[in-house]
Amino acid sequence: KWSFEELGSLSRKAANVLSEACGLQRGDRVVAVLPRVPEWWLLNVACMRAGIVFMPGTSQLTAKDISYRLQASKAKCIVTDDTLAPAVESVLPGSQFLKSKLLVGQGSRDGWLNLKELL
């Protein structure tokens, strides 16, 4: 649980993470493939603050669905959690626009940035 004050503070930090660590600019697109976690809301507000287009996806998306969304949107960043990362990684070689991959949770993976560590 976060208070509105905490969400405000954390969303400013998350907007900086998206802009600086992920290299995103106003108008860039972020695909979020996340279950129902508080970080979904944090990233949503952070994207609004930074002028980044937030494109939510559910945890029920298949690898084919994820691949289509990445290509059609020309997303430059994808956000997911530890359990969904393998499905996301299976389609990453075909995504030419993707610049950064952000992981929500405690785990770590090669080539992924961890949101909690960056906050």
Side-chain angles (χ1 to χ4, degrees):
K1 279 187 169 184
W2 293 319
S3 68
F4 284 110
E5 183 179 352
E6 290 168 323
L7 180 60
S9 173
L10 285 170
S11 66
R12 281 189 286 280
K13 290 179 183 179
N16 287 335
V17 166
L18 293 172
S19 298
E20 295 168 12
C22 296
L24 301 176
Q25 298 175 355
R26 182 174 289 278
D28 286 345
R29 294 164 189 87
V30 172
V31 173
V33 183
L34 290 169
R36 295 177 65 182
V37 293
E39 287 82 3
W40 189 94
W41 291 102
L42 173 64
L43 289 164
N44 195 338
V45 175
C47 285
M48 283 188 252
R49 285 184 179 278
I52 296 168
V53 180
F54 181 75
M55 299 179 340
T58 69
S59 56
Q60 297 173 338
L61 292 175
T62 64
K64 185 178 176 183
D65 296 330
I66 295 167
S67 177
Y68 172 76
R69 282 166 172 75
L70 286 173
Q71 295 307 323
S73 68
K74 299 178 182 171
K76 293 189 178 175
C77 180
I78 190 160
V79 184
T80 193
D81 68 355
D82 304 329
T83 56
L84 300 170
V88 170
E89 283 182 333
S90 71
V91 300
L92 292 182
S95 178
Q96 69 250 20
F97 302 103
L98 206 61
K99 287 169 129 180
S100 57
K101 302 172 286 190
L102 203 55
L103 196 62
V104 171
Q106 301 298 333
S108 64
R109 297 180 81 83
D110 286 339
W112 289 75
L113 301 170
N114 187 294
L115 181 64
K116 287 190 186 230
E117 290 174 8
L118 293 171
L119 286 177

